[in-house]
Amino acid sequence: MPLPSYTLGVMEASAYAPEVFARGLPSGPRPEQSFEDVAKSAGAVAGDASALLSLQGISLSFGGVVALADIDLSVRQGEIRAIIGPNGAGKSSLINVISGVYRPDRGHVQLDGTSYAQVPTQRLAHLGVARTFQNLALFKGLSVLDNVASGLAYKVRSNFAGQVLGIGRSRGEQRDSRSRAEQILEFLHLTAIRDRLVGTLPYGLQKRVELARALVAEPRLLLLDEPMAGMTASEKSEMASFVRAARDRFATTVVLIEHDVGVVMGLSDRIAVLDYGRKIADATPDEVRNDQRVIDAYLGVASDNEDGAGI
Amino acid sequence: MTAITSDFVAAPVLPKWVVPVLLLAFAYGVVPLIGSSYVFEAILLPFLALSLAGVGLNILTGYAGQVSLGSAAFMAAGAFAAYNFNLRVEGLPLIGSIFLAGIVAAAIGIVFGLPSLRLKGFYLAVSTLAAQFFVQWALTKFSWFSNNSASGVIDAPRLSISGLALDGAVGRYLFALTIVTVLTFLAYRLVSSQTGRNFIAIRDNETAARIIGIPVLRTKLLAFAISSFIIGVAGVIWAFAYLRTVEPDGFDLDRSFQILFIIIIGGLASIRGAFFGAALILVFPLALSRLGGFLLGDLFDSGVLDMSQRIVLGALIILFLILEPDGLVALWDRVRRRLLFAWQST
């Protein structure tokens, strides 16, 4: 399969422009897309035009261990797509491939119509992609507000001299990033702790700060690697409502990995199930719940429990 | 949680700028009147030079998280560059020479910062040793740098700013104080700017920094450049205002370690920390020699002093790393908070 090599020009052309997508329209293609009609009729076929993100034949192995084997995945604009699977199924590897941390052995990642053999990590924010990490990846020495504002660092055009002397565009940028960070803090109910160092916060709040840092750039695609791991039940449901609210408010497409099947079923529009690096199911929560292969591989419910009670 | 809340109760009552302004007023208005020439020559001038070097290294190591053992090399580069600019460029004002010397040190800093793009931690520290040995070797080997002086020694030019001669101890003190004040203020502005936050982001989590779009490579090299600029200017103060006569051997690995100890003891990622650390490192040997002389009399000769200094300093560094990894600054803040708290609750 010939892989189109990306050039700077291609990347610039697809660079993220936040003002072009209409707020308050949680799903559907952006208005100016020329293939709008095609997209509407095409439905959820892999690689179709309405897909914001699609993976084609992704394979990845570490030494002899196969982490991902020939994964296809198509994520539609505005959907919340969960990836579940037992430990070691390759979920985090998949997120790392999508965000360019890993380079897949085969296959490619298509982001908003541009195909990559390896997604350029350094350009990720410009492409409108933000992510969180399974193990917190916050900047411990910065306050909550500064952590969140750093999510806008990719936009900063002023140089250090301008910032030190407070001249040029640096003042406006500083004001803008602070006010946007404050809006996100407000949105995620973090305003009260804005000046605390993140290192001093309890785990659940740190997870939320990381979500805020990812959201502040108003990404088109948000990758969440176990956003609710280690949380209490009430923190989980709070986080789930934040994810849904973020999708509705910013029309963000969400791909999330989560272990708590109960939360996933309620939150996601569709669920892909991985097992030993293979995709064994990709459907709506109800269909996944009743899929015999999923039950055997992951849900661990006795196969005679037909109505799925207890899941 | 309680500890954190109490931090907020006892927040400082004064605005941030009050203490620095008072200190500056004291340093400019009072110290020149009461200080003896010994105080200027033996304490205040090296204190200012080493503090500035500490501020520079803190930007690189404390804020951006890149360990460097080449500080003395950048000091030497600054000192010799300023000497040569002053000597060879006709009509260049002293400030111009100093600024260009900083630029030269920054350029060398960028070159020796290149390994940081691939190396981290100890490996990077070892690679910065290359700067230490290379610069010292080059300055000794090529006598052009010291204007063909046989021993590699350079003599500082007369210090003057726009016709105002600053040759006496007080003049050199004011000269150093002004440069240190300006650069420290700019450094403070830098670390609280977006660029400073990018430094911290790269230090705390490089992968996350890259993912959110911070230009990691450019930012690391910028940290090396700015840090080396400041350390280079500190080298100029060391050579021109403090010692007046320097040779490349004066900027050896010991000096690099001394600056590293200053920021570890004073407090990493703190501008104030460099001043705290430099004060301790300078005052401590003097206090030790007085104390030793007082307790032991003639037994406490210079050999014993030198050895006991090393032992006590080494022990002090170990103690700091274990008991107060955030340095004297954290210690000071805690004491001040306790005092304030006690004062408020009476």
Side-chain angles (χ1 to χ4, degrees):
Chain A
M1 184 186 313
L3 298 177
S5 67
Y6 62 82
T7 64
L8 201 65
V10 173
M11 288 199 296
E12 296 295 347
S14 66
Y16 169 47
E19 59 277 9
V20 287
F21 64 90
R23 295 280 162 70
L25 293 173
S27 60
R30 288 182 289 146
E32 80 285 6
Q33 275 177 322
S34 55
F35 42 73
E36 187 179 5
D37 296 335
V38 186
K40 273 180 183 159
S41 59
V45 185
D48 73 277
S50 73
L52 177 68
L53 165 74
S54 70
L55 308 182
Q56 284 126 31
I58 295 287
S59 298
L60 175 71
S61 53
F62 299 107
V65 181
V66 178
L68 296 168
D70 200 23
I71 301 280
D72 292 320
L73 186 73
S74 172
V75 180
R76 271 177 291 183
Q77 187 85 254
E79 79 173 338
I80 297 181
R81 173 56 91 66
I83 300 171
I84 65 172
N87 286 328
K91 307 181 295 293
S92 285
S93 297
L94 197 62
I95 293 273
N96 282 335
V97 166
I98 297 171
S99 57
V101 176
Y102 294 159
R103 182 195 173 92
D105 302 334
R106 275 191 305 284
H108 53 269
V109 179
Q110 199 172 336
L111 264 174
D112 199 31
T114 312
S115 201
Y116 301 100
Q118 180 179 18
V119 180
T121 309
Q122 193 87 64
R123 297 276 312 165
L124 207 61
H126 295 270
L127 295 170
V129 182
R131 68 166 289 182
T132 65
F133 292 80
Q134 183 174 356
N135 305 311
L136 292 163
L138 288 166
F139 308 129
K140 286 195 169 57
L142 290 176
S143 71
V144 170
L145 182 68
D146 286 344
N147 261 281
V148 175
S150 71
L152 293 167
Y154 74 100
K155 280 190 168 176
V156 170
R157 308 255 316 275
S158 60
N159 62 16
F160 79 96
Q163 291 166 18
V164 166
L165 302 173
I167 54 172
R169 61 178 111 215
S170 68
R171 280 165 169 259
E173 279 178 356
Q174 169 91 355
R175 221 175 13 244
D176 184 51
S177 69
R178 272 186 84 92
S179 78
R180 285 180 65 179
E182 274 164 7
Q183 283 169 21
I184 294 290
L185 290 181
E186 178 95 44
F187 177 60
L188 295 180
H189 304 176
L190 291 166
T191 307
I193 54 162
R194 45 173 269 175
D195 294 321
R196 291 267 296 271
L197 284 183
V198 277
T200 65
L201 294 177
Y203 180 78
L205 279 180
Q206 292 197 27
K207 280 278 195 195
R208 213 194 293 172
V209 174
E210 206 183 2
L211 176 65
R213 184 181 69 189
L215 271 181
V216 75
E218 300 183 10
R220 281 185 298 169
L221 177 62
L222 179 61
L223 309 169
L224 302 174
D225 195 348
E226 303 208 16
M228 299 156 209
M231 285 189 169
T232 64
S234 67
E235 283 175 330
K236 277 181 185 172
S237 72
E238 204 179 21
M239 188 58 126
S241 68
F242 281 135
V243 171
R244 207 177 290 119
R247 189 266 304 263
D248 293 345
R249 175 159 164 182
F250 304 114
T252 299
T253 307
V254 181
V255 173
L256 77 108
I257 292 174
E258 185 46 53
H259 268 300
D260 189 320
V261 176
V263 174
V264 166
M265 294 288 175
L267 180 61
S268 321
D269 298 320
R270 281 196 301 165
I271 298 174
V273 187
L274 298 189
D275 189 27
Y276 292 110
R278 295 186 177 281
K279 191 169 84 171
I280 58 171
D282 191 359
T284 64
D286 279 336
E287 289 162 350
V288 165
R289 206 192 304 261
N290 297 315
D291 189 306
Q292 193 56 47
R293 292 175 65 191
V294 177
I295 293 169
D296 292 342
Y298 186 48
L299 299 183
V301 179
S303 54
D304 59 352
N305 187 353
E306 281 177 11
D307 59 2
I311 293 175
Chain B
M1 285 300 281
T2 34
I4 291 161
T5 346
S6 74
D7 284 2
F8 280 94
V9 176
V13 269
L14 295 169
K16 260 183 174 171
W17 53 267
V18 171
V19 175
V21 166
L22 287 178
L23 279 174
L24 273 179
F26 182 73
Y28 273 105
V30 182
V31 172
L33 301 178
I34 59 169
S36 67
S37 141
Y38 171 78
V39 169
F40 291 120
E41 299 275 1
I43 299 178
L44 288 175
L45 282 168
F47 166 73
L48 286 169
L50 288 178
S51 298
L52 188 60
V55 168
L57 184 62
N58 228 337
I59 285 177
L60 182 66
T61 302
Y63 286 92
Q66 312 297 310
V67 185
S68 163
L69 290 177
S71 313
F74 302 126
M75 283 179 83
F80 279 79
Y83 172 76
N84 280 294
F85 279 120
N86 195 68
L87 183 76
R88 295 170 204 280
V89 183
E90 203 67 33
L92 186 67
L94 184 61
I95 287 297
S97 307
I98 295 174
F99 180 78
L100 290 176
I103 298 290
V104 168
I108 297 174
I110 290 177
V111 171
F112 286 97
L114 287 171
S116 75
L117 307 183
R118 302 303 292 268
L119 300 176
K120 285 196 180 81
F122 277 124
Y123 301 95
L124 176 63
V126 169
S127 84
T128 58
L129 279 178
Q132 178 62 52
F133 293 121
F134 175 80
V135 169
Q136 226 184 321
W137 169 80
L139 290 178
T140 318
K141 169 88 181 168
F142 303 106
S143 54
W144 181 85
F145 288 118
S146 48
N147 200 24
N148 302 317
S149 139
S151 50
V153 174
I154 56 169
D155 290 314
R158 290 170 54 85
L159 299 189
S160 71
I161 293 176
S162 52
L164 186 70
L166 297 165
D167 278 335
V170 178
R172 281 182 280 132
Y173 162 75
L174 290 175
F175 169 81
L177 179 64
T178 306
I179 293 179
V180 170
T181 305
V182 170
L183 283 183
T184 303
F185 175 71
L186 294 179
Y188 171 76
R189 292 273 307 174
L190 175 78
V191 297
S192 43
S193 74
Q194 181 60 50
T195 303
R197 291 196 289 272
N198 289 355
F199 289 169
I200 295 175
I202 287 172
R203 176 195 72 191
D204 286 353
N205 199 314
E206 196 176 318
T207 309
R210 181 173 290 124
I211 295 264
I212 63 174
I214 292 173
V216 173
L217 306 185
R218 191 146 44 93
T219 306
K220 277 187 182 176
L221 290 183
L222 183 66
F224 266 96
I226 294 174
S227 160
S228 308
F229 180 92
I230 296 176
I231 297 175
V233 174
V236 181
I237 294 178
W238 184 264
F240 284 17
Y242 169 45
L243 288 178
R244 309 286 291 149
T245 305
V246 290
E247 52 182 339
D249 282 349
F251 300 101
D252 59 0
L253 189 57
D254 276 2
R255 182 80 54 225
S256 290
F257 272 116
Q258 191 182 30
I259 297 165
L260 187 63
F261 293 157
I262 283 175
I263 65 168
I264 289 175
I265 292 178
L268 288 167
S270 155
I271 297 283
R272 283 178 303 159
F275 291 86
F276 278 72
L280 186 97
I281 280 248
L282 277 166
V283 171
F284 159 77
L286 298 174
L288 194 71
S289 81
R290 291 278 161 90
L291 186 73
F294 176 71
L295 292 177
L296 301 172
D298 291 342
L299 271 175
F300 201 77
D301 59 18
S302 65
V304 180
L305 173 66
D306 195 49
M307 201 158 59
S308 55
Q309 264 181 27
R310 284 166 190 269
I311 293 169
V312 179
L313 190 64
L316 214 60
I317 288 163
I318 294 172
L319 279 178
F320 262 102
L321 288 176
I322 294 171
L323 298 176
E324 191 61 271
D326 294 331
L328 281 170
V329 165
L331 201 69
W332 165 253
D333 281 346
R334 217 171 37 236
V335 169
R336 198 183 54 165
R337 209 177 296 125
R338 292 259 169 83
L339 289 176
L340 251 147
F341 195 64
W343 179 69
Q344 277 174 344
S345 54
T346 52

